[in-house]
Amino acid sequence: MTRTPTDRSGFTLMEVMVAVAIMSLIMVTIYTTLNTFIRTRDQLEIEAKAARVGPMILDLIENDLRSIWVMNIDEDKIFEGRPRILGGEHADSMVFLSTVDSIATRRIDDVELPSDLGETGYKLRVNPELPDVLELWRRQSFHIDENPLEDGYYERLYDRVVSFKVRYLETLDRFAERLDSW
């Protein structure tokens, strides 16, 4: 029995090459689509986190400012606000005395107690991992000392702050003159 050219079985080299090329195009398309989807999801997650974290940070700052200690202490060293620029953006800092229970504690008779009156402050620093944004840090000190801008415990609140500008007014009036610092 002899074989005829029409009895052959299998694929030719050309058919295999076309199938591999089509599969390669499909795989590249799937990879590109998946990669774009993952990057988009990550970006949306970052933006959603900022939308959640921002109001929480503003609430914390508001709570701290509402608890400012207003009694006269050593020549009115109660509040200090300084305008600063970091990386071309506003990076104001402020430090004040507040009655918020501090994160800093002292051990007294086997009990860790927070301070009822301490120094609280906010300051921005350059983010070492992302040089285009800043980090917002909150500082608290257990006690009041002569250098309210030094010592204490720092906690990073957020690492992707673009700008932090504090406005000071002479009086609580919408037409009040704005001050550069306090």
Side-chain angles (χ1 to χ4, degrees):
M1 180 176 205
T2 61
R3 291 187 156 206
T4 61
T6 58
D7 283 347
R8 65 186 166 124
S9 61
F11 298 105
T12 65
L13 181 59
M14 185 56 86
E15 291 170 333
V16 171
M17 294 297 284
V18 169
V20 168
I22 292 172
M23 287 302 293
S24 296
L25 286 174
I26 292 172
M27 295 303 283
V28 166
T29 303
I30 290 172
Y31 172 78
T32 304
T33 304
L34 185 60
N35 192 27
T36 303
F37 172 76
I38 289 171
R39 280 192 279 147
T40 302
R41 185 206 61 197
D42 290 346
Q43 186 62 35
L44 288 173
E45 189 174 310
I46 289 170
E47 291 177 17
K49 181 180 178 189
R52 287 188 313 266
V53 170
M56 289 185 341
I57 291 172
L58 291 176
D59 288 345
L60 178 63
I61 293 171
E62 178 186 7
N63 186 41
D64 286 346
L65 288 172
R66 285 184 182 274
S67 67
I68 285 180
W69 180 263
V70 292
M71 302 292 286
N72 187 9
I73 294 180
D74 193 23
E75 300 173 17
D76 290 331
K77 291 183 181 177
I78 296 170
F79 185 96
E80 181 178 39
R82 291 185 180 172
R84 295 178 47 215
I85 301 289
L86 283 176
E89 297 294 337
H90 291 284
D92 296 355
S93 65
M94 60 182 163
V95 64
F96 47 90
L97 305 181
S98 69
T99 58
V100 173
D101 285 342
S102 66
I103 57 171
T105 59
R106 291 283 191 259
R107 180 173 285 289
I108 299 173
D109 296 330
D110 297 331
V111 177
E112 290 286 332
L113 297 174
S115 173
D116 291 332
L117 178 63
E119 301 166 0
T120 302
Y122 292 90
K123 183 176 185 176
L124 272 79
R125 298 179 184 167
V126 175
N127 186 327
E129 297 172 6
L130 302 168
D132 294 341
V133 293
L134 305 169
E135 296 177 332
L136 178 61
W137 289 78
R138 180 177 186 244
R139 183 189 70 82
Q140 285 196 310
S141 180
F142 181 81
H143 61 284
I144 300 168
D145 58 22
E146 297 197 11
N147 298 315
L149 294 174
E150 298 174 9
D151 71 13
Y153 295 92
Y154 286 85
E155 64 177 324
R156 186 175 73 181
L157 297 178
Y158 197 60
D159 64 347
R160 296 172 194 267
V161 177
V162 176
S163 175
F164 184 70
K165 175 129 178 87
V166 181
R167 293 194 176 117
Y168 308 101
L169 303 175
E170 185 68 39
T171 62
L172 290 176
D173 180 9
R174 67 180 188 176
F175 301 111
E177 181 180 341
R178 290 184 179 172
L179 305 173
D180 292 330
S181 61
W182 192 323

